[in-house]
PDB file of all heavy atoms in Angstrom:
ATOM      1  N   ALA A  45      -1.814 -21.443 -12.335  1.00 95.00           N
ATOM      2  CA  ALA A  45      -2.401 -20.149 -12.156  1.00 95.00           C
ATOM      3  C   ALA A  45      -1.709 -19.099 -12.981  1.00 95.00           C
ATOM      4  O   ALA A  45      -2.143 -17.932 -13.011  1.00 95.00           O
ATOM      5  CB  ALA A  45      -2.374 -19.745 -10.638  1.00 95.00           C
ATOM      6  N   GLY A  46      -0.621 -19.444 -13.640  1.00 94.00           N
ATOM      7  CA  GLY A  46       0.133 -18.475 -14.424  1.00 94.00           C
ATOM      8  C   GLY A  46       0.743 -17.394 -13.482  1.00 94.00           C
ATOM      9  O   GLY A  46       0.741 -16.163 -13.743  1.00 94.00           O
ATOM     10  N   ALA A  47       1.293 -17.851 -12.353  1.00 94.00           N
ATOM     11  CA  ALA A  47       1.783 -16.945 -11.336  1.00 94.00           C
ATOM     12  C   ALA A  47       3.123 -16.277 -11.526  1.00 94.00           C
ATOM     13  O   ALA A  47       3.615 -15.664 -10.646  1.00 94.00           O
ATOM     14  CB  ALA A  47       1.796 -17.743  -9.978  1.00 94.00           C
ATOM     15  N   GLY A  48       3.667 -16.433 -12.672  1.00 94.00           N
ATOM     16  CA  GLY A  48       4.950 -15.763 -12.918  1.00 94.00           C
ATOM     17  C   GLY A  48       6.113 -16.613 -12.335  1.00 94.00           C
ATOM     18  O   GLY A  48       6.903 -16.070 -11.501  1.00 94.00           O
ATOM     19  N   VAL A  49       6.208 -17.881 -12.732  1.00 97.00           N
ATOM     20  CA  VAL A  49       7.302 -18.693 -12.242  1.00 97.00           C
ATOM     21  C   VAL A  49       8.567 -18.305 -12.927  1.00 97.00           C
ATOM     22  O   VAL A  49       8.679 -18.398 -14.184  1.00 97.00           O
ATOM     23  CB  VAL A  49       6.995 -20.209 -12.534  1.00 97.00           C
ATOM     24  CG1 VAL A  49       8.177 -21.049 -12.121  1.00 97.00           C
ATOM     25  CG2 VAL A  49       5.739 -20.654 -11.769  1.00 97.00           C
ATOM     26  N   GLU A  50       9.504 -17.844 -12.193  1.00 97.00           N
ATOM     27  CA  GLU A  50      10.827 -17.396 -12.776  1.00 97.00           C
ATOM     28  C   GLU A  50      11.711 -18.580 -13.034  1.00 97.00           C
ATOM     29  O   GLU A  50      12.323 -18.707 -14.093  1.00 97.00           O
ATOM     30  CB  GLU A  50      11.469 -16.436 -11.807  1.00 97.00           C
ATOM     31  CG  GLU A  50      12.841 -15.955 -12.284  1.00 97.00           C
ATOM     32  CD  GLU A  50      13.649 -15.262 -11.191  1.00 97.00           C
ATOM     33  OE1 GLU A  50      13.214 -14.100 -10.843  1.00 97.00           O
ATOM     34  OE2 GLU A  50      14.628 -15.850 -10.751  1.00 97.00           O
ATOM     35  N   THR A  51      11.823 -19.501 -12.032  1.00 98.00           N
ATOM     36  CA  THR A  51      12.659 -20.694 -12.155  1.00 98.00           C
ATOM     37  C   THR A  51      12.067 -21.890 -11.521  1.00 98.00           C
ATOM     38  O   THR A  51      11.537 -21.751 -10.362  1.00 98.00           O
ATOM     39  CB  THR A  51      14.064 -20.398 -11.520  1.00 98.00           C
ATOM     40  OG1 THR A  51      14.664 -19.213 -12.005  1.00 98.00           O
ATOM     41  CG2 THR A  51      15.016 -21.558 -11.709  1.00 98.00           C
ATOM     42  N   LEU A  52      11.985 -23.000 -12.203  1.00 98.00           N
ATOM     43  CA  LEU A  52      11.604 -24.288 -11.558  1.00 98.00           C
ATOM     44  C   LEU A  52      12.886 -24.925 -11.078  1.00 98.00           C
ATOM     45  O   LEU A  52      13.896 -24.986 -11.852  1.00 98.00           O
ATOM     46  CB  LEU A  52      10.888 -25.147 -12.594  1.00 98.00           C
ATOM     47  CG  LEU A  52       9.475 -24.702 -12.943  1.00 98.00           C
ATOM     48  CD1 LEU A  52       8.960 -25.473 -14.180  1.00 98.00           C
ATOM     49  CD2 LEU A  52       8.519 -24.929 -11.758  1.00 98.00           C
ATOM     50  N   ILE A  53      12.873 -25.425  -9.892  1.00 97.00           N
ATOM     51  CA  ILE A  53      14.046 -26.069  -9.272  1.00 97.00           C
ATOM     52  C   ILE A  53      13.673 -27.519  -9.075  1.00 97.00           C
ATOM     53  O   ILE A  53      12.716 -27.801  -8.287  1.00 97.00           O
ATOM     54  CB  ILE A  53      14.448 -25.387  -7.959  1.00 97.00           C
ATOM     55  CG1 ILE A  53      14.748 -23.916  -8.208  1.00 97.00           C
ATOM     56  CG2 ILE A  53      15.687 -26.067  -7.339  1.00 97.00           C
ATOM     57  CD1 ILE A  53      14.945 -23.094  -6.956  1.00 97.00           C
ATOM     58  N   VAL A  54      14.410 -28.437  -9.672  1.00 97.00           N
ATOM     59  CA  VAL A  54      14.034 -29.839  -9.643  1.00 97.00           C
ATOM     60  C   VAL A  54      15.192 -30.753  -9.278  1.00 97.00           C
ATOM     61  O   VAL A  54      16.301 -30.474  -9.641  1.00 97.00           O
ATOM     62  CB  VAL A  54      13.406 -30.229 -10.976  1.00 97.00           C
ATOM     63  CG1 VAL A  54      14.358 -30.070 -12.100  1.00 97.00           C
ATOM     64  CG2 VAL A  54      12.914 -31.678 -10.994  1.00 97.00           C
ATOM     65  N   ALA A  55      14.914 -31.827  -8.540  1.00 95.00           N
ATOM     66  CA  ALA A  55      15.898 -32.843  -8.304  1.00 95.00           C
ATOM     67  C   ALA A  55      15.436 -34.062  -9.120  1.00 95.00           C
ATOM     68  O   ALA A  55      14.524 -34.765  -8.754  1.00 95.00           O
ATOM     69  CB  ALA A  55      15.936 -33.228  -6.811  1.00 95.00           C
ATOM     70  N   PRO A  56      16.059 -34.272 -10.289  1.00 94.00           N
ATOM     71  CA  PRO A  56      15.621 -35.331 -11.183  1.00 94.00           C
ATOM     72  C   PRO A  56      15.612 -36.731 -10.594  1.00 94.00           C
ATOM     73  O   PRO A  56      14.682 -37.578 -10.874  1.00 94.00           O
ATOM     74  CB  PRO A  56      16.584 -35.247 -12.360  1.00 94.00           C
ATOM     75  CG  PRO A  56      17.118 -33.859 -12.347  1.00 94.00           C
ATOM     76  CD  PRO A  56      17.144 -33.519 -10.872  1.00 94.00           C
ATOM     77  N   ASP A  57      16.589 -37.042  -9.713  1.00 91.00           N
ATOM     78  CA  ASP A  57      16.624 -38.361  -9.101  1.00 91.00           C
ATOM     79  C   ASP A  57      15.491 -38.536  -8.066  1.00 91.00           C
ATOM     80  O   ASP A  57      15.131 -39.670  -7.765  1.00 91.00           O
ATOM     81  CB  ASP A  57      17.986 -38.656  -8.481  1.00 91.00           C
ATOM     82  CG  ASP A  57      18.431 -37.533  -7.533  1.00 91.00           C
ATOM     83  OD1 ASP A  57      17.943 -36.442  -7.589  1.00 91.00           O
ATOM     84  OD2 ASP A  57      19.328 -37.834  -6.718  1.00 91.00           O
ATOM     85  N   LEU A  58      14.909 -37.473  -7.578  1.00 91.00           N
ATOM     86  CA  LEU A  58      13.718 -37.588  -6.645  1.00 91.00           C
ATOM     87  C   LEU A  58      12.440 -37.616  -7.401  1.00 91.00           C
ATOM     88  O   LEU A  58      11.446 -38.182  -6.890  1.00 91.00           O
ATOM     89  CB  LEU A  58      13.737 -36.428  -5.654  1.00 91.00           C
ATOM     90  CG  LEU A  58      14.944 -36.322  -4.730  1.00 91.00           C
ATOM     91  CD1 LEU A  58      14.794 -35.084  -3.821  1.00 91.00           C
ATOM     92  CD2 LEU A  58      15.092 -37.565  -3.873  1.00 91.00           C
ATOM     93  N   LEU A  59      12.388 -37.047  -8.583  1.00 89.00           N
ATOM     94  CA  LEU A  59      11.168 -36.920  -9.334  1.00 89.00           C
ATOM     95  C   LEU A  59      11.058 -37.853 -10.488  1.00 89.00           C
ATOM     96  O   LEU A  59      10.043 -37.798 -11.232  1.00 89.00           O
ATOM     97  CB  LEU A  59      11.005 -35.529  -9.845  1.00 89.00           C
ATOM     98  CG  LEU A  59      10.364 -34.438  -8.897  1.00 89.00           C
ATOM     99  CD1 LEU A  59      10.148 -33.154  -9.673  1.00 89.00           C
ATOM    100  CD2 LEU A  59       9.092 -34.862  -8.263  1.00 89.00           C
ATOM    101  N   ALA A  60      12.083 -38.639 -10.742  1.00 84.00           N
ATOM    102  CA  ALA A  60      12.095 -39.440 -11.948  1.00 84.00           C
ATOM    103  C   ALA A  60      10.830 -40.276 -12.204  1.00 84.00           C
ATOM    104  O   ALA A  60      10.311 -40.934 -11.314  1.00 84.00           O
ATOM    105  CB  ALA A  60      13.321 -40.396 -11.854  1.00 84.00           C
ATOM    106  N   GLY A  61      10.320 -40.059 -13.414  1.00 84.00           N
ATOM    107  CA  GLY A  61       9.124 -40.858 -13.829  1.00 84.00           C
ATOM    108  C   GLY A  61       7.801 -40.336 -13.309  1.00 84.00           C
ATOM    109  O   GLY A  61       6.738 -40.916 -13.596  1.00 84.00           O
ATOM    110  N   SER A  62       7.799 -39.237 -12.552  1.00 90.00           N
ATOM    111  CA  SER A  62       6.578 -38.742 -11.952  1.00 90.00           C
ATOM    112  C   SER A  62       5.862 -37.787 -12.916  1.00 90.00           C
ATOM    113  O   SER A  62       6.467 -37.153 -13.784  1.00 90.00           O
ATOM    114  CB  SER A  62       6.843 -38.061 -10.642  1.00 90.00           C
ATOM    115  OG  SER A  62       7.443 -36.810 -10.888  1.00 90.00           O
TER     116      SER A  62
END
Side-chain angles (χ1 to χ4, degrees):
V49 175
E50 179 193 288
T51 305
L52 288 168
I53 302 170
V54 59
D57 51 341
L58 298 179
L59 275 187
S62 73

